[in-house]
Amino acid sequence: ALCSRPMNEPLDAGDAPDSPEQAPRPRRKGIYALPNAITLSALFASFYAIVMAMNGRFDTACIAIFAAAVLDSLDGRVARMTNTQSAFGEQMDSLADMVSFGAAPALIVYQWALHDMGKLGWIPAFVYIAGAALRLARFNVNIGVVDKRFFQGLPSPAAAALVMGLIWVVDDAGVKGASRIDWTAWSAFGVTLYAGLSMVTNAPFYSFKVFGGRRTVPFVVLVAIMLVIAVVALDPPRVLFALFCAYGVSGYAVYAYRKVKGRPTSVIATSTDEPDEIGLHR
């Protein structure tokens, strides 16, 4: 027969069912190697771009930033395809983006054309890096409420491509010492300022996420992609710069079209009732 413990007898520490010693420890989450390795590769590409700009090799710096953009587009897709998403990976990707498409382009364009302007040259470089930080922070908090077909504001990789594309085109044309030529310095001033401010606007820029999903596309789409690759191969600096210039104004064109047609211009799919978050969603 089982003996029951008297009612007034206290339980031993080892008998307590909720004892801290017996409670199972929470399992530590590991870090997935593949997507984070791609993110680190993008981070290295941006670091390499800064070093090349310090050595006056601006064409190589531009190529490195474009390589970082390609790698940035892969890490999230690889994580989803291999089911290796993690909170660590999301934070790592966001921090790497701030370096690759925020700090690096601002430093490179300042070194290339803005430093001879004195403190006036600080303005577009700081507006750009601050715009990148604000855009990434807003993206992180709005990720669940933004229409997935569009980005709210110019995405930071496209902004970086716009600035780097200008540098690559001018450098490829044989213009050296851009900071001492008025038209190149002021062109860099205007493009950098435009890219920085465009990142914090509410203009809807198409995300092209339909190509990364599981939806099928017509065969003609693949033919178009093939033709675009062929055209880019003919003259990468000018073609890429032209493509990103067109994309850089497309959001404002969509905004104006929706405004004229009386359609909603916001890309926020779901409103929030939190008063403190209203400014983030409009």
Side-chain angles (χ1 to χ4, degrees):
L2 295 175
C3 296
S4 60
R5 185 184 298 271
M7 296 289 291
N8 58 353
E9 184 178 344
L11 290 172
D12 293 334
D15 296 331
D18 296 329
S19 171
E21 291 79 1
Q22 291 185 352
R25 293 184 179 181
R27 189 176 179 181
R28 297 181 65 181
K29 295 182 178 180
I31 297 173
Y32 296 109
L34 183 57
N36 288 293
I38 297 175
T39 302
L40 285 174
S41 299
L43 185 62
F44 175 78
S46 60
F47 169 76
Y48 181 77
I50 295 173
V51 174
M52 289 299 100
M54 292 169 61
N55 292 323
R57 297 175 59 183
F58 293 103
D59 55 339
T60 306
C62 294
I63 295 172
I65 293 296
F66 277 100
V70 173
L71 291 168
D72 177 68
S73 68
L74 293 177
D75 56 5
R77 298 177 191 275
V78 169
R80 287 188 293 272
M81 290 172 60
T82 57
N83 197 26
T84 54
Q85 305 100 314
S86 66
F88 178 88
E90 292 176 0
Q91 297 302 320
M92 182 68 186
D93 181 66
S94 185
L95 292 171
D97 285 353
M98 182 57 207
V99 176
S100 300
F101 312 122
L107 293 172
I108 293 170
V109 73
Y110 180 81
Q111 180 70 18
W112 180 66
L114 302 176
H115 66 274
D116 280 349
M117 291 184 173
K119 292 183 178 180
L120 184 64
W122 296 5
I123 296 175
F126 176 73
V127 168
Y128 180 91
I129 194 171
L134 292 170
R135 196 242 178 260
L136 289 168
R138 184 175 66 174
F139 175 81
N140 289 340
V141 298
N142 278 2
I143 194 168
V145 296
V146 173
D147 186 342
K148 295 185 181 298
R149 297 173 301 169
F150 296 94
F151 290 118
Q152 186 182 16
L154 183 66
S156 56
L162 196 60
V163 175
M164 293 298 99
L166 172 67
I167 298 175
W168 198 5
V169 166
V170 176
D171 187 86
D172 187 68
V175 177
K176 307 298 179 182
S179 61
R180 295 186 292 272
I181 303 175
D182 286 343
W183 72 267
T184 55
W186 285 108
S187 296
F189 188 102
V191 170
T192 306
L193 192 63
Y194 175 85
L197 294 175
S198 294
M199 283 188 282
V200 294
T201 62
N202 290 326
F205 289 84
Y206 193 62
S207 67
F208 297 102
K209 289 185 178 180
V210 64
F211 296 108
R214 297 182 179 180
R215 291 178 55 187
T216 59
V217 294
F219 180 76
V220 68
V221 174
L222 296 179
V223 176
I225 294 174
M226 177 190 67
L227 292 175
V228 169
I229 293 173
V231 172
V232 169
L234 292 176
D235 193 346
R238 291 168 180 79
V239 174
L240 287 174
F241 182 58
L243 289 176
F244 281 102
C245 282
Y247 183 73
V249 299
S250 65
Y252 299 106
V254 173
Y255 182 90
Y257 176 80
R258 288 185 170 188
K259 200 77 172 176
V260 170
K261 294 294 184 177
R263 299 177 182 176
T265 56
S266 175
V267 297
I268 302 300
T270 307
S271 62
T272 178
D273 295 329
E274 293 293 334
D276 293 340
E277 296 186 2
I278 291 178
L280 296 172
H281 304 315
R282 293 182 180 177

